[in-house]
Amino acid sequence: MTQELLPPIEQLLLHRGAMLLVDRVTVADGDRLSVETTVRSTMWYADADGNMPAWVGIELMAQAIAAYFGLWQLRHGLPIKIGFLLGTRKYVCSVPVFTGGAVLDITADMQYREPNGLGAFDCYIDNRGERLATAMIKVYEPEDIKKFMEETPS
């Protein structure tokens, strides 16, 4: 991926409304993609002081990864697909909340992507150059979501 065209985030993610937590792509370079978001006191996650709980950071990272895949799909003329956040073994965050009004930079740096759809990304969240959170996030993007859902035991 190169820096030439960074489409609106709504073209890259299937998330809409209150579930779309990131505002825009800021960097797309090779196996790395960064998004930006502003912590808003009017969002569903806001505490009484307008802050975002630190645990929401994992979803911010997942949406950065989804934007990475969405941009790849878009650039290859393919539809945006549903993917799954499998989890992380260690999410480290140096703050209990992301302060209301803060502009967060969320970066996803692909470490591997298997042909079967499994992948892993080193992710981090910064605010004004200060590293606030890190995690290695594991994801899965099935080739055929309908077939995958039909095969999954209920």
Side-chain angles (χ1 to χ4, degrees), residues 50-61:
N51 303 317
M52 176 192 289
W55 55 263
V56 179
I58 293 178
E59 178 60 22
L60 295 175
M61 293 173 176

Side-chain angles (χ1 to χ4, degrees), residues 2-23:
T2 62
Q3 194 63 28
E4 77 262 359
L5 175 65
L6 298 176
I9 197 71
E10 294 82 5
Q11 289 183 12
L12 306 178
L13 298 179
L14 296 174
H15 301 74
R16 292 293 181 266
M19 293 314 296
L20 180 59
L21 301 184
V22 297
D23 300 331

Side-chain angles (χ1 to χ4, degrees), residues 31-79:
D31 290 335
R32 176 175 291 151
L33 183 131
S34 295
V35 295
E36 180 181 274
T37 194
T38 300
V39 178
R40 292 178 179 80
S41 62
T42 57
M43 290 293 284
W44 59 268
Y45 55 68
D47 65 15
D49 297 318
N51 303 317
M52 176 192 289
W55 55 263
V56 179
I58 293 178
E59 178 60 22
L60 295 175
M61 293 173 176
Q63 289 192 21
I65 294 167
Y68 173 90
F69 285 119
L71 186 57
W72 191 93
Q73 293 289 109
L74 184 70
R75 288 188 172 161
H76 289 87
L78 300 169

Side-chain angles (χ1 to χ4, degrees), residues 35-36 46 60 76 80 89 107 109 115 122 132-133 139 147-148:
V35 295
E36 180 181 274
L60 295 175
H76 289 87
I80 306 302
R89 288 187 185 202
T107 298
D109 187 4
D122 277 332
L132 301 178
V139 296
K147 182 178 177 186
F148 172 76

